[in-house]
Amino acid sequence: PGPYSWSCLGSGGGVDVACSAPYLEPAPVVDLKINGSDGPLTVNRNSNLNITWGAIPNAATCTGTGNNWNGAKSTLSGNDNLAATAASLYTLTCTNSQGISASDAISVILQPTLKICLTQCDSNLELTSPFNMVQGSSQDIRACYNDATTCTDPTGNVTSTATWNENGGSNVVTLTNTDPKTVNANQSGSESISATYSGSTQTKDITVTCTDAGACS
């Protein structure tokens, strides 16, 4: 038993036998952690990832892979910090002097957030609060649920499945259509609208002004 590979040679009908047992070095023992966890982790985009590991027994070399974390790593220990800019699988693989490897991996995904974007999910324009409109005008909007922090990702359009509300109880604005949703500025004043999806709610205030007193009256 043990990390040995027996090799025997016989002579004279096997009367004289010589055996040897070359030593096989144990595989490295790798224990990777991110933010003190074995994962999987769900974090906000651009939040800090603290990647740590202790001394790796039996390791001659170590290599890391993952978003912004590729390359040689210390066999003694490590403590790296980087921003979570993309979902990724972080893996630390270590190899002993005889080429035997072991690894540990942690999956990191980004937490989706709900945004109300002007026109498209990747328009680079988010509905501000307050959002100013002229009486009689309209604005197309979309509810977007993805891991981008602003309206820069074309995926995650949940406009038709989100729950929309006009929260003021007045007729300052009305919401029509399905996808895109349309905000209609009916009369001067302020009113809030909201979109809810997957437990998240975004509320925006709309301020409607009149530029022609005669026409608006």
Side-chain angles (χ1 to χ4, degrees), residues 113 115 117 121 124 126 146 148-153:
T113 60
K115 297 160 283 290
C117 301
C121 290
N124 287 304
E126 189 167 357
N146 52 50
T149 56
T150 58
C151 298
T152 57
D153 189 334

Side-chain angles (χ1 to χ4, degrees), residues 29-180:
V29 180
V30 184
D31 184 18
L32 185 68
K33 293 188 183 300
I34 299 181
N35 296 349
S37 170
D38 293 319
L41 291 177
T42 301
V43 300
N44 293 327
R45 180 180 286 272
N46 296 324
S47 62
N48 183 67
L49 298 178
N50 179 227
I51 305 176
T52 58
W53 65 99
I56 311 295
N58 309 311
T61 62
C62 289
T63 302
T65 59
N67 180 52
N68 295 328
W69 198 65
N70 296 296
K73 306 299 176 184
S74 172
T75 61
L76 301 178
S77 64
N79 190 329
D80 294 336
N81 290 280
L82 53 88
T85 58
S88 184
L89 180 67
Y90 292 88
T91 304
L92 181 63
T93 301
C94 297
T95 305
N96 68 14
S97 60
Q98 295 178 335
I100 300 173
S101 299
S103 63
D104 192 15
I106 297 176
S107 175
V108 174
I109 61 176
L110 301 184
Q111 176 68 50
T113 60
L114 180 65
K115 297 160 283 290
I116 300 179
C117 301
L118 300 182
T119 310
Q120 303 289 346
C121 290
D122 58 348
S123 66
N124 287 304
L125 297 171
E126 189 167 357
L127 187 68
T128 58
S129 186
F131 184 73
N132 296 316
M133 298 182 68
V134 174
Q135 185 170 335
S137 67
S138 63
Q139 173 66 57
D140 287 342
I141 58 176
R142 280 189 163 92
C144 306
Y145 190 71
N146 52 50
D147 60 37
T149 56
T150 58
C151 298
T152 57
D153 189 334
T155 66
N157 177 15
V158 296
T159 307
S160 61
T161 53
T163 300
W164 294 87
N165 283 296
E166 301 163 32
N167 303 316
S170 64
N171 194 43
V172 173
V173 297
T174 54
L175 294 172
T176 58
N177 301 328
T178 301
D179 185 10

